[in-house]
């Protein structure tokens, strides 16, 4: 049994019952649920469960039930346990909360692997503390099995997870106007014929270059667990695809500042932020890079296992289903998927293009990181130089500012961010002060330059 801290030394067997054990844990400062209660008989247990269920929506965490335990420790010991679980405790599940609503439409979602999922568009209905207007229908087999039709009155529920689902149709509510929706013959996004890879039940878009598939891949690639690219949200990915700027993740690395800065809603600052984010992407941990490839069945933890057992991309490509099956948590199915990914044309293309973009270089083989332009004091700000600089020429000062992502302008206006005032500064200094513009002398300017060049990002002293 697990010991309590040394100062105490008691174990679970030193407590007469579960209640006093929990009380001891609470005095030690450990979080113990406040809804713990005791009952003398079954009616008391049910009363407590009913009370808990009535409070369910008001809790700031989700619960799907409660555990009923025998309180007395000697009785627990007497009851013992099976190979799987103690005989003195049982999980009581609340009935899933259900609501009745009308299914207005069924829309199709194309995921990053090309799988086309039917989604129920519902008349909004209150369910378990939230308003639900969409629910997953999983796949076409399920849709057919439950005989769900557009216009149906349906029962929706929230199961263990957050996404609600359609449980069943109230057939008796049908008017005859309800329409079944056959599986689509073509992709709703690109129009390519759909395919079904036996023995899968999923229906897929057969086009590896489907914009929905590319958008999904790019989203995964840029996401937090993958490359964590700052400044690349879903709407920008859609914009890049629309404009034909990228077709896959590797194209991101070829984007240039000028193109980016000219996009609607963009500017120098956002361009620099993205470019710095892409530079950091090349330095992401190896496991994150594997996850970023979007190999089917490979989540964050599988990617970590693959990374620990394969030093680099070449070693990973050489892996076989047999060698992978030996790794912890990777069964034959995942092993097959990994190998199939690297032998399929689009997987190979993705790897080759990323390799060409320097994505798989080890940290030590990468050129030294440039100053994170997006992060330093100069980036995206407009400077005006005035007066005489002692340690550098105007041209040198201008070049230094621009190298760190700043701009230099000739006259002071409301668009000016910083005035660099050398000796004998005149009217520009007066105007800057009048407009409340930040002013630095040469010494402070030189210090900022040194910080910027060292990549001393964002140090605002
Ligand atoms: Zn498609």
């Amino acid at each position: 049994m697990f010991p309590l801290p040394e100062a105490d030394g008691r174990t679970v067997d030193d407590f007469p019952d579960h209640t006093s054990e929990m009380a001891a844990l609470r005095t030690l400062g450990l979080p113990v649920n406040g809804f713990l209660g005791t009952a003398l008989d079954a009616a008391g247990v049910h009363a407590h469960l009913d009370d808990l269920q009535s409070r369910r929506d008001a809790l700031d965490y989700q619960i799907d039930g409660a555990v009923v335990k025998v309180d007395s420790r000697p009785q627990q010991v007497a009851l013992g346990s099976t190979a799987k679980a103690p005989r003195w405790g049982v999980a009581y599940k609340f009935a899933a909360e259900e609501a009745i609503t009308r299914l207005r439409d069924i829309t199709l979602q194309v995921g990053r692997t090309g799988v086309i999922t039917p989604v129920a568009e519902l008349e909004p209905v209150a369910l378990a503390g939230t308003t639900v207007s969409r629910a997953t229908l999983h796949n076409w087999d399920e849709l057919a099995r439950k005989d769900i039709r557009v216009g149906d009155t349906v029962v929706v529920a929230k199961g263990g997870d957050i996404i609600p689902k359609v449980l069943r149709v109230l057939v008796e509510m049908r008017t005859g106007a309800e329409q079944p929706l056959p599986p689509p013959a073509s992709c709703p996004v690109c129009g390519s014929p759909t395919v079904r890879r036996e023995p899968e039940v999923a229906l897929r878009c057969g086009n590896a270059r489907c914009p929905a598939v590319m958008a999904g891949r790019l989203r995964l690639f840029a996401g937090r667990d993958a490359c964590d690219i700052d400044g690349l949200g879903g709407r920008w990915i859609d914009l890049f695809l629309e404009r034909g700027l990228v077709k896959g993740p590797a194209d991101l690395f070829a984007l240039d500042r000028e193109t980016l800065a000219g996009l609607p809603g963009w500017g120098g600052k956002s361009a620099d932020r993205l470019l710095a984010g892409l530079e950091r992407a090349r330095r992401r941990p190896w496991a994150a890079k594997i996850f970023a490839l979007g190999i089917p069945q490979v989540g964050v933890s599988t990617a970590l296992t693959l990374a620990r057992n394969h030093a680099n991309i070449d070693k990973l490509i050489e892996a076989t289903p047999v060698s992978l099956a030996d790794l912890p948590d990777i069964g034959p199915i995942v092993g097959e998927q990994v190998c199939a990914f690297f032998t399929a044309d689009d997987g190979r293309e993705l790897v080759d293009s990323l390799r060409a973009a320097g994505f798989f270089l080890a940290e030590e083989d990468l050129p030294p990181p440039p100053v994170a332009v997006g992060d330093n004091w100069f980036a995206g700000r407009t400077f005006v130089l005035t007066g005489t600089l002692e340690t550098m020429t105007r041209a040198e000062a201008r070049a230094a500012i621009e190298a760190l992502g700043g701009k230099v302008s000739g006259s002071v206006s409301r668009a000016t961010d910083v005035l660099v005032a050398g000796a004998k500064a005149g009217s520009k200094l007066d105007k800057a002060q009048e407009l409340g513009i930040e002013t630095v002398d040469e010494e402070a300017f030189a210090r900022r330059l040194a910080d910027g060049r060292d990549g001393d990002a964002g140090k605002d002293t």
Side-chain angles (χ1 to χ4, degrees):
M1 291 295 148
F2 40 87
L4 290 168
E6 278 174 359
D8 191 311
R10 286 178 293 173
T11 73
V12 64
D13 289 315
D14 295 317
F15 294 94
D17 50 50
H18 187 66
T19 309
S20 55
E21 187 192 339
M22 290 296 122
L25 291 176
R26 189 178 282 130
T27 59
L28 289 170
L30 291 165
V32 173
N33 195 288
F35 291 107
L36 194 73
T38 51
L40 293 172
D41 52 21
V45 170
H46 279 291
H48 191 71
L49 289 169
D50 289 346
D51 177 53
L52 200 54
Q53 187 155 8
S54 71
R55 295 167 190 270
R56 190 177 173 187
D57 286 349
L59 299 177
D60 54 8
Y61 49 90
Q62 299 217 340
I63 58 170
D64 65 350
V67 179
V68 182
K69 295 177 183 174
V70 171
D71 199 28
S72 151
R73 183 62 198 154
Q75 285 178 4
Q76 287 179 3
V77 173
L79 284 162
S81 56
T82 67
K84 284 183 183 159
R87 288 197 189 91
W88 45 269
V90 63
Y92 177 89
K93 297 279 181 204
F94 297 144
E97 286 188 64
E98 298 180 355
I100 293 170
T101 188
R102 194 175 150 271
L103 192 149
R104 288 191 292 119
D105 201 1
I106 295 173
T107 52
L108 308 176
Q109 236 169 29
V110 187
R112 70 178 168 82
T113 55
V115 172
I116 301 170
T117 312
V119 177
E121 306 289 342
L122 307 164
E123 295 293 359
V125 62
L127 176 63
T130 55
T131 301
V132 169
S133 58
R134 304 185 92 197
T136 174
L137 294 167
H138 299 293
N139 59 52
W140 300 94
D141 281 8
E142 170 139 335
L143 201 66
R145 189 159 41 80
K146 291 182 177 170
D147 187 23
I148 297 169
R149 303 178 186 182
V150 175
D152 265 337
T153 302
V154 294
V155 179
V156 290
K158 273 188 181 176
D161 44 18
I162 323 148
I163 305 168
K165 57 184 175 183
V166 173
L167 287 186
R168 61 184 181 276
V169 173
L170 298 179
V171 182
E172 62 276 21
M173 303 286 282
R174 280 197 175 147
T175 64
E178 295 77 13
Q179 293 291 323
L181 190 75
S186 59
C187 168
V189 176
C190 73
S192 303
T194 53
V195 293
R196 186 176 271 213
R197 292 184 201 153
E198 299 292 340
E200 284 183 355
V201 292
L203 197 67
R204 292 168 189 271
C205 167
N207 174 12
R209 302 208 174 284
C210 175
V213 173
M214 292 194 293
R217 277 198 182 161
L218 284 161
R219 274 194 179 82
L220 176 95
F221 188 82
R224 191 174 302 168
D225 291 324
C227 290
D228 194 19
I229 301 173
D230 199 19
L232 188 58
R235 58 190 275 237
W236 300 131
I237 288 173
D238 292 341
L239 177 73
F240 290 179
L241 285 168
E242 258 169 53
R243 302 233 162 179
L245 294 175
V246 299
K247 290 198 163 60
D251 298 333
L252 292 170
F253 295 97
L255 292 168
D256 65 83
R257 186 175 192 274
E258 200 186 335
T259 309
L260 289 170
L263 291 170
W266 283 62
K269 241 180 197 169
S270 353
D272 288 335
R273 190 161 150 233
L274 177 59
L275 292 172
L278 285 163
E279 202 48 56
R280 280 193 296 271
R282 288 199 179 94
R283 293 172 165 76
R284 289 287 287 159
W286 171 218
K289 290 183 177 182
I290 296 175
F291 177 71
L293 296 175
I295 305 170
Q297 310 268 0
V298 175
V300 173
S301 74
T302 307
L304 193 61
T305 304
L306 292 174
R308 283 185 181 140
N309 291 282
H310 304 86
N312 53 46
I313 188 72
D314 295 309
K315 294 272 189 276
L316 185 56
I317 292 171
E318 282 167 19
T320 64
V322 176
S323 72
L324 290 174
D326 283 345
L327 300 179
D329 312 325
I330 298 184
I333 295 169
V334 177
E336 296 271 2
Q337 293 269 15
V338 173
C339 297
F341 177 84
F342 289 115
T343 45
D345 285 348
D346 49 323
R348 259 214 310 262
E349 262 175 54
L350 177 66
V351 169
D352 290 348
S353 59
L354 283 170
R355 192 197 295 274
F359 183 68
F360 293 119
L361 288 174
E363 172 101 45
E364 59 268 26
D365 296 327
L366 283 166
V371 172
V373 163
D375 287 340
N376 78 69
W377 185 72
F378 294 83
R381 303 179 96 188
T382 300
F383 292 76
V384 172
L385 303 166
T386 188
T388 314
L389 297 175
E390 314 273 356
T391 58
M392 64 185 92
T393 66
R394 280 276 177 96
E396 283 166 351
R398 169 188 281 267
I401 291 169
E402 288 173 349
L404 290 165
K407 272 198 313 205
V408 179
S409 151
S411 58
V412 175
S413 72
R414 290 194 186 275
T416 308
D417 293 304
V418 183
L419 181 80
V420 180
K424 302 195 194 93
S427 62
K428 285 182 185 171
L429 178 56
D430 296 340
K431 180 148 189 214
Q433 282 168 345
E434 195 185 302
L435 292 172
I437 288 163
E438 184 178 358
T439 303
V440 293
D441 61 14
E442 184 171 356
E443 200 196 330
F445 175 61
R447 212 168 44 232
R448 292 288 194 180
L449 278 180
D451 284 351
R453 287 183 184 126
D454 290 348
D456 219 346
K459 210 177 213 182
D460 227 4
T461 46

